[in-house]
PDB file of all heavy atoms in Angstrom:
ATOM      1  N   TYR A  23     -51.498  45.100 -23.459  1.00  0.00           N
ATOM      2  CA  TYR A  23     -51.893  46.139 -22.506  1.00  0.00           C
ATOM      3  C   TYR A  23     -50.795  47.171 -22.252  1.00  0.00           C
ATOM      4  O   TYR A  23     -51.048  48.166 -21.582  1.00  0.00           O
ATOM      5  CB  TYR A  23     -52.310  45.508 -21.173  1.00  0.00           C
ATOM      6  CG  TYR A  23     -53.394  44.457 -21.324  1.00  0.00           C
ATOM      7  CD1 TYR A  23     -53.206  43.184 -20.818  1.00  0.00           C
ATOM      8  CD2 TYR A  23     -54.585  44.738 -21.965  1.00  0.00           C
ATOM      9  CE1 TYR A  23     -54.197  42.210 -20.948  1.00  0.00           C
ATOM     10  CE2 TYR A  23     -55.559  43.776 -22.101  1.00  0.00           C
ATOM     11  CZ  TYR A  23     -55.362  42.516 -21.595  1.00  0.00           C
ATOM     12  OH  TYR A  23     -56.328  41.555 -21.724  1.00  0.00           O
ATOM     13  N   HIS A  24     -49.591  46.892 -22.748  1.00  0.00           N
ATOM     14  CA  HIS A  24     -48.455  47.803 -22.580  1.00  0.00           C
ATOM     15  C   HIS A  24     -48.132  48.063 -21.106  1.00  0.00           C
ATOM     16  O   HIS A  24     -47.760  49.168 -20.731  1.00  0.00           O
ATOM     17  CB  HIS A  24     -48.689  49.116 -23.327  1.00  0.00           C
ATOM     18  CG  HIS A  24     -49.066  48.910 -24.750  1.00  0.00           C
ATOM     19  ND1 HIS A  24     -48.164  48.502 -25.706  1.00  0.00           N
ATOM     20  CD2 HIS A  24     -50.257  49.007 -25.377  1.00  0.00           C
ATOM     21  CE1 HIS A  24     -48.785  48.364 -26.860  1.00  0.00           C
ATOM     22  NE2 HIS A  24     -50.055  48.659 -26.703  1.00  0.00           N
ATOM     23  N   TRP A  25     -48.293  47.026 -20.276  1.00  0.00           N
ATOM     24  CA  TRP A  25     -47.955  47.142 -18.865  1.00  0.00           C
ATOM     25  C   TRP A  25     -46.467  46.962 -18.681  1.00  0.00           C
ATOM     26  O   TRP A  25     -45.841  46.126 -19.315  1.00  0.00           O
ATOM     27  CB  TRP A  25     -48.680  46.071 -18.045  1.00  0.00           C
ATOM     28  CG  TRP A  25     -50.157  46.273 -17.932  1.00  0.00           C
ATOM     29  CD1 TRP A  25     -50.881  47.330 -18.387  1.00  0.00           C
ATOM     30  CD2 TRP A  25     -51.088  45.377 -17.329  1.00  0.00           C
ATOM     31  NE1 TRP A  25     -52.211  47.142 -18.105  1.00  0.00           N
ATOM     32  CE2 TRP A  25     -52.364  45.960 -17.457  1.00  0.00           C
ATOM     33  CE3 TRP A  25     -50.966  44.158 -16.703  1.00  0.00           C
ATOM     34  CZ2 TRP A  25     -53.499  45.357 -16.968  1.00  0.00           C
ATOM     35  CZ3 TRP A  25     -52.108  43.551 -16.213  1.00  0.00           C
ATOM     36  CH2 TRP A  25     -53.358  44.139 -16.339  1.00  0.00           C
ATOM     37  N   THR A  26     -45.906  47.723 -17.779  1.00  0.00           N
ATOM     38  CA  THR A  26     -44.491  47.582 -17.440  1.00  0.00           C
ATOM     39  C   THR A  26     -44.327  46.391 -16.480  1.00  0.00           C
ATOM     40  O   THR A  26     -45.308  45.965 -15.851  1.00  0.00           O
ATOM     41  CB  THR A  26     -43.959  48.839 -16.752  1.00  0.00           C
ATOM     42  OG1 THR A  26     -44.635  48.990 -15.498  1.00  0.00           O
ATOM     43  CG2 THR A  26     -44.166  50.075 -17.613  1.00  0.00           C
ATOM     44  N   PRO A  27     -43.103  45.891 -16.350  1.00  0.00           N
ATOM     45  CA  PRO A  27     -42.889  44.809 -15.367  1.00  0.00           C
ATOM     46  C   PRO A  27     -43.327  45.227 -13.961  1.00  0.00           C
ATOM     47  O   PRO A  27     -43.869  44.416 -13.216  1.00  0.00           O
ATOM     48  CB  PRO A  27     -41.380  44.576 -15.430  1.00  0.00           C
ATOM     49  CG  PRO A  27     -41.002  44.983 -16.812  1.00  0.00           C
ATOM     50  CD  PRO A  27     -41.905  46.158 -17.138  1.00  0.00           C
ATOM     51  N   LYS A  28     -43.123  46.486 -13.617  1.00  0.00           N
ATOM     52  CA  LYS A  28     -43.523  46.979 -12.287  1.00  0.00           C
ATOM     53  C   LYS A  28     -45.041  46.901 -12.111  1.00  0.00           C
ATOM     54  O   LYS A  28     -45.536  46.478 -11.064  1.00  0.00           O
ATOM     55  CB  LYS A  28     -43.050  48.414 -12.095  1.00  0.00           C
ATOM     56  CG  LYS A  28     -43.567  49.077 -10.834  1.00  0.00           C
ATOM     57  CD  LYS A  28     -42.471  49.275  -9.842  1.00  0.00           C
ATOM     58  CE  LYS A  28     -42.904  50.126  -8.671  1.00  0.00           C
ATOM     59  NZ  LYS A  28     -43.609  49.410  -7.648  1.00  0.00           N
ATOM     60  N   GLN A  29     -45.786  47.300 -13.141  1.00  0.00           N
ATOM     61  CA  GLN A  29     -47.252  47.239 -13.052  1.00  0.00           C
ATOM     62  C   GLN A  29     -47.704  45.800 -12.849  1.00  0.00           C
ATOM     63  O   GLN A  29     -48.606  45.546 -12.052  1.00  0.00           O
ATOM     64  CB  GLN A  29     -47.891  47.823 -14.305  1.00  0.00           C
ATOM     65  CG  GLN A  29     -47.765  49.327 -14.407  1.00  0.00           C
ATOM     66  CD  GLN A  29     -48.216  49.837 -15.753  1.00  0.00           C
ATOM     67  OE1 GLN A  29     -47.720  49.410 -16.779  1.00  0.00           O
ATOM     68  NE2 GLN A  29     -49.165  50.760 -15.735  1.00  0.00           N
ATOM     69  N   TRP A  30     -47.099  44.872 -13.591  1.00  0.00           N
ATOM     70  CA  TRP A  30     -47.458  43.458 -13.460  1.00  0.00           C
ATOM     71  C   TRP A  30     -47.096  42.944 -12.073  1.00  0.00           C
ATOM     72  O   TRP A  30     -47.899  42.282 -11.418  1.00  0.00           O
ATOM     73  CB  TRP A  30     -46.779  42.640 -14.545  1.00  0.00           C
ATOM     74  CG  TRP A  30     -47.062  41.176 -14.458  1.00  0.00           C
ATOM     75  CD1 TRP A  30     -46.185  40.209 -14.086  1.00  0.00           C
ATOM     76  CD2 TRP A  30     -48.287  40.500 -14.731  1.00  0.00           C
ATOM     77  NE1 TRP A  30     -46.783  38.988 -14.127  1.00  0.00           N
ATOM     78  CE2 TRP A  30     -48.078  39.130 -14.514  1.00  0.00           C
ATOM     79  CE3 TRP A  30     -49.546  40.928 -15.140  1.00  0.00           C
ATOM     80  CZ2 TRP A  30     -49.073  38.179 -14.698  1.00  0.00           C
ATOM     81  CZ3 TRP A  30     -50.550  39.975 -15.321  1.00  0.00           C
ATOM     82  CH2 TRP A  30     -50.310  38.630 -15.098  1.00  0.00           C
ATOM     83  N   ALA A  31     -45.902  43.291 -11.600  1.00  0.00           N
ATOM     84  CA  ALA A  31     -45.439  42.833 -10.297  1.00  0.00           C
ATOM     85  C   ALA A  31     -46.284  43.389  -9.156  1.00  0.00           C
ATOM     86  O   ALA A  31     -46.445  42.729  -8.118  1.00  0.00           O
ATOM     87  CB  ALA A  31     -43.976  43.214 -10.096  1.00  0.00           C
ATOM     88  N   ASP A  32     -46.824  44.578  -9.348  1.00  0.00           N
ATOM     89  CA  ASP A  32     -47.617  45.210  -8.293  1.00  0.00           C
ATOM     90  C   ASP A  32     -49.016  44.625  -8.149  1.00  0.00           C
ATOM     91  O   ASP A  32     -49.703  44.897  -7.164  1.00  0.00           O
ATOM     92  CB  ASP A  32     -47.727  46.719  -8.531  1.00  0.00           C
ATOM     93  CG  ASP A  32     -46.428  47.454  -8.210  1.00  0.00           C
ATOM     94  OD1 ASP A  32     -45.541  46.858  -7.557  1.00  0.00           O
ATOM     95  OD2 ASP A  32     -46.310  48.623  -8.627  1.00  0.00           O
ATOM     96  N   LEU A  33     -49.444  43.827  -9.106  1.00  0.00           N
ATOM     97  CA  LEU A  33     -50.764  43.208  -8.993  1.00  0.00           C
ATOM     98  C   LEU A  33     -50.735  42.118  -7.920  1.00  0.00           C
ATOM     99  O   LEU A  33     -49.742  41.425  -7.751  1.00  0.00           O
ATOM    100  CB  LEU A  33     -51.185  42.567 -10.323  1.00  0.00           C
ATOM    101  CG  LEU A  33     -51.423  43.492 -11.506  1.00  0.00           C
ATOM    102  CD1 LEU A  33     -51.734  42.662 -12.745  1.00  0.00           C
ATOM    103  CD2 LEU A  33     -52.533  44.470 -11.244  1.00  0.00           C
ATOM    104  N   SER A  34     -51.841  41.981  -7.228  1.00  0.00           N
ATOM    105  CA  SER A  34     -51.942  40.895  -6.245  1.00  0.00           C
ATOM    106  C   SER A  34     -52.075  39.567  -6.990  1.00  0.00           C
ATOM    107  O   SER A  34     -52.336  39.537  -8.202  1.00  0.00           O
ATOM    108  CB  SER A  34     -53.177  41.098  -5.351  1.00  0.00           C
ATOM    109  OG  SER A  34     -54.358  40.880  -6.108  1.00  0.00           O
ATOM    110  N   ILE A  35     -51.897  38.476  -6.290  1.00  0.00           N
ATOM    111  CA  ILE A  35     -52.043  37.158  -6.913  1.00  0.00           C
ATOM    112  C   ILE A  35     -53.454  37.006  -7.478  1.00  0.00           C
ATOM    113  O   ILE A  35     -53.646  36.464  -8.574  1.00  0.00           O
ATOM    114  CB  ILE A  35     -51.723  36.045  -5.897  1.00  0.00           C
ATOM    115  CG1 ILE A  35     -50.233  36.081  -5.565  1.00  0.00           C
ATOM    116  CG2 ILE A  35     -52.129  34.674  -6.426  1.00  0.00           C
ATOM    117  CD1 ILE A  35     -49.817  35.139  -4.463  1.00  0.00           C
ATOM    118  N   ARG A  36     -54.430  37.487  -6.762  1.00  0.00           N
ATOM    119  CA  ARG A  36     -55.831  37.402  -7.226  1.00  0.00           C
ATOM    120  C   ARG A  36     -56.019  38.191  -8.525  1.00  0.00           C
ATOM    121  O   ARG A  36     -56.655  37.717  -9.465  1.00  0.00           O
ATOM    122  CB  ARG A  36     -56.755  37.918  -6.140  1.00  0.00           C
ATOM    123  CG  ARG A  36     -58.211  37.786  -6.495  1.00  0.00           C
ATOM    124  CD  ARG A  36     -59.092  38.296  -5.380  1.00  0.00           C
ATOM    125  NE  ARG A  36     -60.469  38.126  -5.764  1.00  0.00           N
ATOM    126  CZ  ARG A  36     -61.396  37.639  -4.994  1.00  0.00           C
ATOM    127  NH1 ARG A  36     -61.113  37.294  -3.771  1.00  0.00           N
ATOM    128  NH2 ARG A  36     -62.632  37.530  -5.428  1.00  0.00           N
TER     129      ARG A  36
END
Side-chain angles (χ1 to χ4, degrees):
Y23 305 126
H24 308 287
W25 290 355
T26 65
K28 172 110 171 83
Q29 288 171 305
W30 178 251
D32 286 346
L33 294 176
S34 70
I35 292 174
R36 184 179 181 135

